[in-house]
């Protein structure tokens, strides 16, 4: 029994030693070449090769060779899928394009290792030829991923396609840099990054996309740029992009609305008013600019100016709820402020004049707020509290009772 146990333990120890034994580099390389020759086992051979990259006994020259052989293994896999395609057999389109992407990545890594080593380039020429050969397929792979909605994957294809012409191995190749297709790829790369919910990806090529795209696409691309900076909480670039875009694409309301909202939140009311005035002069009378301006004036407590601005807006569009609201609220605030200093001594003739003026202000507030109610009857929480104050002061019993009941039920 003891002898049997000893034999078992000894056998186990031998297996452990074999498992922990480092496979020689030459053996890994031989296994890779055999896989390519036999058109079988490429994935496993590549995995073992790449795993050796972190070993301390591997030299830079060997690392470059590992990357190059990994590319050759991927090329072998690609050739098998390509053959199936040619023979009209069932093939894996995803694998076909993925191998091309990996080929480019391995060759880029191979060249980087050789650049770092400072020694003679053993693979650059071959790598360059392979990358040129499969460059169109690389682009088609990105388009395929985009069509499939695999946005993050698509970006990786477009990213390498766009970066390659400026890599050291293509330093003297002006043809790639003059590639007219790049203008479209800038746009595709931006769209894929944006749809992948990756602002950093989207911003990588967005400026180039804006320059290269048609005029009809530029406002939308600038909007994506704003949204990306907002997602990254990059306030400085967010505001700068809004300020440039609102001038360049004034007809695209997105920029004005978001910039005016920022000015309101930051209490930069004068900037908001100045922006509105600039656009009113540049673009012409548009209700959206009057509404934005009136909002700034209301917050700044310039009530008389706000009322005048609202009247301009209403003249352009008599259904503008916000214009009526800002106008009514301005009159109400003027009434409340005036009431604080109005004469309350009934023996003083001024008391009667102040009371008439105050009643007039409340009546002026009543009409636009009732118009808000008419236009937006379901928005009770917005207009009811204001009408409550107005009807209370004007001593309108029936109207007041109705509003009071509405607020109780709201």
């Amino acid at each position: 029994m003891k002898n049997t146990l000893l034999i078992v333990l000894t056998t186990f120890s031998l297996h452990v030693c074999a498992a922990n034994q480092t496979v020689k580099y030459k053996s890994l390389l031989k296994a890779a070449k055999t896989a390519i020759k036999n058109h079988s086992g490429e994935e496993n051979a590549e995995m073992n090769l790449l795993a050796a990259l972190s070993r301390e006994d591997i030299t830079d020259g060997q690392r470059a060779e590992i990357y190059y052989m990994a590319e050759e293994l991927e090329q072998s896999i690609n050739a098998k899928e390509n053959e199936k395609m040619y023979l009209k057999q069932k093939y894996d389109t995803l694998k076909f394009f993925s191998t091309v992407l990996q080929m480019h990545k391995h060759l880029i890594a191979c060249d980087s290792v050789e650049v770092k080593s400072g020694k003679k380039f053993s693979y650059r020429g071959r790598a360059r030829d392979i990358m040129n050969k499969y460059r169109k397929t690389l682009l088609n792979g990105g388009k395929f991923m985009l069509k499939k909605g695999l946005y993050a994957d698509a970006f990786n294809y477009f990213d390498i396609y766009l970066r390659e012409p400026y890599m050291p191995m293509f330093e003297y190749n002006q043809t790639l840099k003059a590639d007219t297709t790049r203008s479209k790829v800038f746009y595709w790369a931006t769209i894929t990054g944006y749809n992948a919910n990756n602002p950093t990806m989207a911003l990588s090529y967005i400026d180039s996309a804006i320059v290269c795209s048609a005029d009809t696409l530029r406002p939308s691309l600038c909007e994506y740029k704003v949204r990306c900076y907002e997602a990254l909480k990059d306030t400085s670039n967010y505001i700068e992009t809004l300020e440039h875009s609102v001038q360049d694409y004034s007809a695209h309301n997105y920029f004005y609305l978001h910039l005016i909202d920022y000015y309101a939140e930051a209490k930069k009311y004068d900037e908001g008013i100045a922006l509105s005035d600039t656009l009113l002069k540049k673009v012409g009378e548009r209700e959206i600019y009057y509404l934005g301006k009136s909002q700034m004036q209301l917050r700044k407590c310039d009530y008389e100016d706000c009322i005048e601005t609202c009247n301009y807006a209403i003249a352009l569009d008599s259904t503008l709820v916000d214009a009526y609201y800002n106008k009514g609220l301005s009159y109400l605030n003027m009434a409340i402020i005036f009431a604080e200093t109005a004469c309350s001594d009934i023996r003083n003739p001024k008391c009667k004049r102040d009371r008439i003026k105050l009643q007039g202000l409340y009546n002026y507030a009543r009409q636009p707020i009732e118009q808000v109610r008419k236009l937006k009857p379901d928005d009770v929480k917005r207009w009811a509290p204001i009408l409550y104050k107005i009807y209370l002061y004007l001593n309108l019993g029936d109207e007041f009772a109705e509003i009071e009941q509405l607020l109780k039920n709201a």
Side-chain angles (χ1 to χ4, degrees):
M1 180 69 177
K2 290 182 180 179
N3 291 337
T4 303
L5 180 61
L6 180 61
I7 293 171
V8 171
L9 289 174
T10 303
T11 305
F12 176 74
S13 298
L14 289 173
H15 282 310
V16 171
C17 291
N20 289 336
Q21 186 176 1
T22 302
V23 180
K24 291 182 179 180
Y25 172 70
K26 288 185 178 180
S27 298
L28 292 172
L29 206 60
K30 183 178 179 181
K33 291 178 180 178
T34 300
I36 294 171
K37 181 179 178 181
N38 297 335
H39 301 291
S40 176
E42 294 97 336
E43 290 91 344
N44 190 54
E46 181 181 359
M47 180 182 68
N48 291 333
L49 263 179
L50 295 175
L53 286 168
S54 59
R55 281 167 39 179
E56 293 182 0
D57 63 312
I58 299 296
T59 66
D60 284 341
Q62 290 172 333
R63 285 191 178 86
E65 189 173 25
I66 286 173
Y67 281 122
Y68 183 79
M69 286 306 303
E71 177 279 325
E72 292 289 281
L73 288 162
E74 290 286 352
Q75 190 172 164
S76 178
I77 299 169
N78 178 271
K80 287 192 289 187
E81 295 302 321
N82 191 44
E83 184 179 5
K84 293 176 188 176
M85 192 189 315
Y86 179 77
L87 296 174
K88 300 189 183 317
Q89 298 174 354
K90 186 177 181 181
Y91 66 97
D92 189 335
T93 311
L94 191 63
K95 179 185 284 189
F96 173 78
F97 286 122
S98 296
T99 54
V100 174
L101 178 65
Q102 291 305 316
M103 286 160 58
H104 281 258
K105 285 184 175 181
H106 290 325
L107 291 175
I108 291 168
C110 174
D111 196 69
S112 295
V113 170
E114 291 202 302
V115 168
K116 182 181 176 182
S117 69
K119 297 180 181 180
K120 181 181 177 181
F121 292 106
S122 301
Y123 303 101
R124 175 170 283 189
R126 283 176 283 174
R128 191 164 44 217
D129 291 341
I130 294 168
M131 291 168 78
N132 278 327
K133 178 182 176 181
Y134 287 93
R135 184 165 170 78
K136 185 176 180 180
T137 309
L138 178 72
L139 179 59
N140 288 335
K143 291 158 72 173
F144 172 80
M145 300 297 171
L146 174 58
K147 187 176 180 180
K148 290 291 183 181
L150 302 171
Y151 300 118
D153 293 325
F155 178 86
N156 290 331
Y157 286 81
F158 297 140
D159 179 50
I160 288 182
Y161 186 89
L162 291 169
R163 287 192 294 112
E164 277 183 352
Y166 297 93
M167 291 180 182
M169 66 175 76
F170 293 107
E171 183 179 0
Y172 302 106
N173 191 321
Q174 299 303 317
T175 303
L176 290 185
K177 296 181 180 68
D179 179 9
T180 56
T181 308
R182 287 170 59 82
S183 59
K184 293 180 180 178
V185 184
F186 285 132
Y187 179 78
W188 293 334
T190 300
I191 294 301
T192 53
Y194 182 79
N195 286 327
N197 294 317
N198 190 317
T200 304
M201 279 185 181
L203 290 170
S204 299
Y205 299 105
I206 201 163
D207 287 332
S208 297
I210 291 169
V211 171
C212 295
S213 294
D215 291 344
T216 53
L217 294 175
R218 290 177 183 176
S220 296
L221 286 168
C222 286
E223 182 178 330
Y224 294 158
K225 189 175 180 181
V226 170
R227 291 179 185 273
C228 287
Y229 284 131
E230 184 178 22
L232 293 171
K233 301 187 186 306
D234 186 342
T235 305
S236 177
N237 279 312
Y238 172 77
I239 300 307
E240 183 180 350
T241 306
L242 279 175
E243 288 177 337
H244 282 109
S245 299
V246 77
Q247 298 296 335
D248 294 338
Y249 312 105
S250 303
H252 201 69
N253 292 339
Y254 175 90
F255 305 116
Y256 175 77
L257 291 172
H258 280 73
L259 189 54
I260 209 75
D261 281 347
Y262 166 74
Y263 286 147
E265 291 175 10
K267 298 182 179 180
K268 296 183 176 182
Y269 307 131
D270 288 334
E271 286 90 334
I273 293 170
L275 171 65
S276 303
D277 284 338
T278 298
L279 292 173
L280 283 166
K281 291 179 181 177
K282 180 180 179 180
V283 181
E285 289 195 326
R286 291 185 62 197
E287 54 269 34
I288 188 175
Y289 302 143
Y290 282 125
L291 284 175
K293 182 178 179 180
S294 72
Q295 186 64 32
M296 297 297 102
Q297 292 168 327
L298 180 62
R299 293 194 176 212
K300 195 182 175 185
C301 303
D302 289 343
Y303 300 124
E304 291 185 2
D305 290 340
C306 178
I307 292 166
E308 182 181 12
T309 301
C310 289
N311 286 336
Y312 282 123
I314 293 168
L316 293 173
D317 186 348
S318 61
T319 65
L320 291 175
V321 174
D322 288 342
Y324 289 111
Y325 182 82
N326 291 347
K327 180 179 178 180
L329 201 55
S330 291
Y331 273 121
L332 178 61
N333 288 339
M334 289 172 65
I336 293 171
I337 293 170
F338 181 74
E340 293 176 355
T341 58
C343 180
S344 58
D345 184 358
I346 59 174
R347 295 170 296 179
N348 189 333
K350 186 175 180 296
C351 181
K352 183 178 180 180
R353 293 196 300 271
D354 285 355
R355 188 164 59 248
I356 292 171
K357 180 178 179 180
L358 191 57
Q359 189 168 13
L361 288 171
Y362 273 101
N363 274 313
Y364 284 135
R366 176 184 174 183
Q367 185 274 329
I369 299 301
E370 286 182 338
Q371 189 65 17
V372 172
R373 179 182 183 180
K374 180 180 178 181
L375 293 169
K376 288 284 185 181
D378 295 331
D379 199 0
V380 177
K381 291 184 178 180
R382 190 178 195 194
W383 48 259
I386 301 176
L387 287 179
Y388 179 91
K389 293 178 182 179
I390 294 171
Y391 293 157
L392 177 63
Y393 179 84
L394 295 176
N395 197 25
L396 299 174
D398 292 341
E399 290 87 344
F400 176 79
E402 181 204 6
I403 294 296
E404 189 174 36
Q405 190 60 44
L406 282 173
L407 288 172
K408 285 180 181 179
N409 297 333

